[in-house]
Amino acid sequence: MSQGVAMAAVIRPLQRPVPLRQSVYDALIDLIVGGELPPGQHMVETDLARQLGVSRQPIREALHRMEAEGWVDLRPSQGAFVHVPTDAEVDNLLDVRALLEAETARLAAAVPASAAKAAQLARLREICTEGQDAAEADDFTTAVSVNNAFHAEIANISGNTVLAELAHIVGRRVQWYYRMVAPERGHGSWDEHRELIGAIETGDRGLAQEVARRHTERTREAYHQPR
Amino acid sequence: MSQGVAMAAVIRPLQRPVPLRQSVYDALIDLIVGGELPPGQHMVETDLARQLGVSRQPIREALHRMEAEGWVDLRPSQGAFVHVPTDAEVDNLLDVRALLEAETARLAAAVPASAAKAAQLARLREICTEGQDAAEADDFTTAVSVNNAFHAEIANISGNTVLAELAHIVGRRVQWYYRMVAPERGHGSWDEHRELIGAIETGDRGLAQEVARRHTERTREAYHQPR
DNA sequence: TTATAGACGACTGTATGCAAAGTGCGATCC
DNA sequence: GGATCGCACTTTGCATACAGTCGTCTATAA
């Protein structure tokens, strides 16, 4: 059967020009996570615009999105301030993350075995190896991004996109908070990650849920450790 | 003890001038939930601006926030379209809501009894009565808002503000989807609500969690009912 | 010296303008 | 008659301009 376009299977929606607001959004989050913009900092639109070489408009749009995701607080007629997390809020956020990650893992374990799932599991193992390498090399930056990729992949397997998005947003904020108190090392518990993969592979929902929850709890302990 | 300002306990941060974008945001959500803007509808900034009597700027800002919360899809250089939920996505969202509401209820049940909690429980019962009245009067609009108030109050009791916010956002979207398929009646299961209150009051975490989950599951059944 | 009123400066909120990208329609050619 | 190319219109993306508000600093009076 001939089609108007050859190789239709390979053609994808192709990447439209990335809006400036998106780049600005990414840049600002990096600045916050990286610590250049400390909590409580007043983010003056004009300054940011000049520094990033754009007008105030994309800056504002990025800030609004960041407010919706909890990165900044927007006080009317005063502008944007980097969000200052209280201890109680960090606890709350960790609770939520535990909840979301556990459910994600449970759903992923519930997915019946298939060729697609096998491929995703293989990808998970691959990510694990990368993470371990980064951890051993004390490469914190890639360790973080690899960790994100790991959880994103599990969310992928689970098949619940809504849950995946929420987990992603919450996860990034947790990483930010975590980095503020322990900037020097990632929680390189890649063995736990492997255990989780196993639980997902064998389809043991309860175990997957439990392992994920325990894993998240460890972050809380690390956070509350006396420093 | 005399203070510079009398009645300090009553004074609150006071309401700063509400930005236009906020009003626009509320108005647009009402339009979507109310069905004036059907899913897939192209929301032209200029038209909305003229209809609401403001410039394009506040419209854009509201649209960006609405995208972050899943109300509209923003296609680059094409504009905003009212989000079209797929059946799979509705299921996903219902799963997430079940998860969030159940956890909220569990946390609320875990809060130790106190004068403050007693007052909140009383408020819950009050809301229940209002809801039942509205349901019996077939006043769907207030029934919905009362239902929202009910869940918001439980989230309040739970003390986890992060969870509360998430539950609120997800809950509103569920109500929208639900209303699209069953515009004529609310799910007036106020007896279940009362059962939930009881579980929270006696501090039975497991029961509270279970009741909340069951309650949410009923929504799913109603949604998938052949129509 | 302290408290208060006034004015100045800075920043946000809103509106408008301009250029580029996209879409749809019509003319044209096979 | 059908498909394709090109043009014009629509709409967004970004920039700029203006007005209102808030915070602060200073000068003045008690």
Side-chain angles (χ1 to χ4, degrees), chain A residues 26-178:
Chain A
D26 293 334
L28 290 182
I29 298 239
D30 281 346
L31 285 176
I32 291 180
V33 174
E36 279 89 351
L37 294 174
Q41 173 78 284
H42 186 187
M43 300 171 76
V44 178
E45 296 172 359
T46 314
D47 294 349
L48 296 174
R50 199 183 46 249
Q51 289 174 27
L52 294 181
V54 298
S55 81
R56 277 177 57 206
Q57 178 84 359
I59 301 280
R60 287 179 68 84
E61 295 178 354
L63 286 177
H64 289 311
R65 176 167 166 201
M66 289 168 73
E67 193 214 12
E69 294 178 4
W71 293 96
V72 301
D73 298 316
L74 243 43
R75 303 188 215 158
S77 64
Q78 283 191 263
F81 295 78
V82 179
H83 181 68
V84 183
T86 64
D87 274 1
E89 190 204 325
V90 174
D91 261 341
N92 286 348
L93 199 69
L94 286 171
D95 280 339
V96 173
R97 189 177 78 146
L99 189 70
L100 296 180
E101 296 288 358
E103 178 71 3
T104 307
R106 198 181 69 84
L107 288 179
V111 172
S114 70
K117 188 178 178 184
Q120 288 169 318
L121 284 168
R123 173 90 194 100
L124 272 183
R125 292 214 164 79
E126 205 175 305
I127 293 174
C128 252
T129 310
E130 286 176 38
Q132 205 148 22
D133 290 349
E136 279 164 12
D138 284 335
D139 183 351
F140 186 73
T141 312
T142 48
V144 165
S145 72
V146 169
N147 193 50
N148 278 338
F150 182 83
H151 289 291
E153 190 60 36
I154 292 185
N156 239 345
I157 298 179
S158 81
N160 188 327
T161 55
V162 178
L163 187 59
E165 273 172 45
L166 247 48
H168 179 242
I169 293 174
V170 170
R172 240 194 340 178
R173 268 176 70 193
V174 168
Q175 301 239 354
W176 172 40
Y177 295 164
Y178 187 80

Side-chain angles (χ1 to χ4, degrees), chain A residues 173-183 185 187 219 222-223:
Chain A
R173 268 176 70 193
V174 168
Q175 301 239 354
W176 172 40
Y177 295 164
Y178 187 80
R179 184 153 187 188
M180 289 196 298
V181 301
R185 69 146 192 269
H187 41 302
T219 305
Y223 189 90

Side-chain angles (χ1 to χ4, degrees), chain B residues 19-21 55-58 77-78:
Chain B
L20 262 187
R21 57 169 179 269
S55 80
R56 277 177 57 207
Q57 178 82 0
S77 62
Q78 283 191 259

Side-chain angles (χ1 to χ4, degrees), chain A residues 171-223:
Chain A
R172 240 194 340 178
R173 268 176 70 193
V174 168
Q175 301 239 354
W176 172 40
Y177 295 164
Y178 187 80
R179 184 153 187 188
M180 289 196 298
V181 301
E184 68 284 348
R185 69 146 192 269
H187 41 302
S189 49
W190 293 98
D191 288 342
E192 284 183 351
H193 284 71
R194 288 226 168 70
E195 193 184 349
L196 183 53
I197 296 178
I200 293 176
E201 186 162 32
T202 58
D204 188 335
R205 284 181 273 185
L207 180 61
Q209 185 173 18
E210 194 44 43
V211 171
R213 183 174 284 278
R214 188 156 23 96
H215 174 62
T216 307
E217 275 313 312
R218 188 149 310 184
T219 305
R220 187 199 305 277
E221 286 163 25
Y223 189 90

Side-chain angles (χ1 to χ4, degrees), chain B residues 35-219:
Chain B
E36 278 89 351
L37 294 174
Q41 172 79 279
H42 187 187
M43 299 171 76
V44 178
E45 296 173 359
T46 314
D47 294 349
L48 297 174
R50 197 183 46 249
Q51 290 175 26
L52 294 181
V54 297
S55 80
R56 277 177 57 207
Q57 178 82 0
I59 302 281
R60 287 179 67 85
E61 297 180 352
L63 286 177
H64 289 310
R65 177 170 167 199
M66 289 168 72
E67 192 214 12
E69 294 177 4
W71 292 97
V72 301
D73 299 316
L74 243 44
R75 302 187 215 160
S77 62
Q78 283 191 259
F81 296 79
V82 180
H83 181 69
V84 183
T86 64
D87 274 1
E89 190 204 325
V90 175
D91 261 342
N92 286 348
L93 200 69
L94 286 171
D95 281 338
V96 172
R97 189 177 79 146
L99 189 69
L100 297 180
E101 296 288 357
E103 178 71 3
T104 307
R106 198 181 69 85
L107 288 180
V111 172
S114 70
K117 188 177 177 183
Q120 288 169 318
L121 284 168
R123 174 88 193 100
L124 271 183
R125 291 214 165 78
E126 205 175 304
I127 292 174
C128 252
T129 311
E130 287 176 38
Q132 203 148 22
D133 290 349
E136 279 165 12
D138 284 336
D139 182 351
F140 186 73
T141 311
T142 49
V144 165
S145 72
V146 169
N147 193 49
N148 278 337
F150 182 83
H151 289 291
E153 190 61 36
I154 292 185
N156 241 344
I157 299 178
S158 80
N160 188 327
T161 55
V162 178
L163 187 59
E165 275 172 44
L166 247 47
H168 178 242
I169 293 174
V170 170
R172 241 198 332 183
R173 268 176 68 192
V174 169
Q175 300 239 351
W176 171 40
Y177 295 164
Y178 188 79
R179 184 154 188 187
M180 290 197 299
V181 302
E184 68 283 350
R185 68 146 192 269
H187 41 303
S189 49
W190 293 97
D191 289 341
E192 284 183 349
H193 285 71
R194 288 224 168 70
E195 194 183 350
L196 184 53
I197 296 178
I200 292 176
E201 186 162 33
T202 57
D204 189 336
R205 284 181 272 183
L207 180 61
Q209 185 173 17
E210 195 43 43
V211 171
R213 183 174 283 278
R214 187 155 24 93
H215 174 62
T216 307
E217 274 314 311
R218 188 150 309 185
T219 305

